[in-house]
Amino acid sequence: MKKQGILNSDISRVLSYMRHTDTLCISDCGLPCPEETELIDISLTKGDPGFIRVLTAVLDDMKVEKITLASEIREKNPAIVKQITALLPDVPVEYIRHEELKKSLVQCKAVIRTGEVTPYANIILQSACIF
């Protein structure tokens, strides 16, 4: 049995396959996932698990060199932006329109769907090299 880290086997598997510049999305419960992208649905109820809780767990196992957020999040959900930047203070942030973020999901290795119910709580994490 795994001793530490993420216990969810699908998330653990995807993280172990990530290579430099690969991307992974963590989403709120409403973000649509393209058919060609793996969906890992860990939502239980509205708000559970929350976006920041899942992001924190993933960041414990993943080195990130860049993040992408919807530009709308700055106005519609500044509290989440503040928490994201606190977790990733030195990581460059790219802001793109929400519609463009949704289109870019086809390039992600997976979308992890949380129970988050606040607007635009979606992030694309770009994997860094660990050496």
Side-chain angles (χ1 to χ4, degrees):
M1 179 174 228
K2 192 171 179 183
K3 187 175 178 181
Q4 62 188 18
I6 293 176
L7 296 178
N8 180 288
S9 59
D10 290 324
I11 296 172
S12 184
R13 175 184 45 78
V14 168
L15 288 174
S16 72
Y17 287 134
M18 297 284 291
R19 300 296 179 256
H20 186 216
T21 74
D22 285 346
T23 56
L24 172 71
C25 177
I26 301 173
S27 78
D28 59 29
C29 66
L31 188 71
C33 182
E35 290 292 325
E36 56 267 43
T37 302
E38 179 178 358
L39 174 63
I40 303 170
D41 190 343
I42 60 170
S43 62
L44 295 173
T45 58
K46 289 181 182 178
D48 188 30
F51 173 82
I52 292 297
R53 179 177 174 199
V54 175
L55 176 59
T56 301
V58 168
L59 292 176
D60 284 343
D61 276 353
M62 180 181 178
K63 186 173 180 184
V64 175
E65 69 180 9
K66 180 180 136 184
I67 62 173
T68 303
L69 301 170
S71 54
E72 294 88 343
I73 195 172
R74 290 182 282 196
E75 180 183 330
K76 303 290 186 182
N77 202 343
I80 290 284
V81 174
K82 186 176 180 179
Q83 291 175 300
I84 290 169
T85 54
L87 287 170
L88 296 156
D90 300 320
V91 175
V93 181
E94 178 182 14
Y95 289 96
I96 60 176
R97 304 248 340 121
H98 185 62
E99 288 303 315
E100 291 303 312
L101 186 136
K102 289 192 289 188
K103 289 177 185 175
S104 66
L105 296 178
V106 297
Q107 298 166 350
C108 290
K109 295 292 183 187
V111 172
I112 301 171
R113 180 182 186 236
T114 70
E116 186 67 42
V117 291
T118 63
Y120 301 102
N122 307 295
I123 190 169
I124 296 177
L125 306 169
Q126 182 173 306
S127 182
C129 188
I130 57 172
F131 55 89

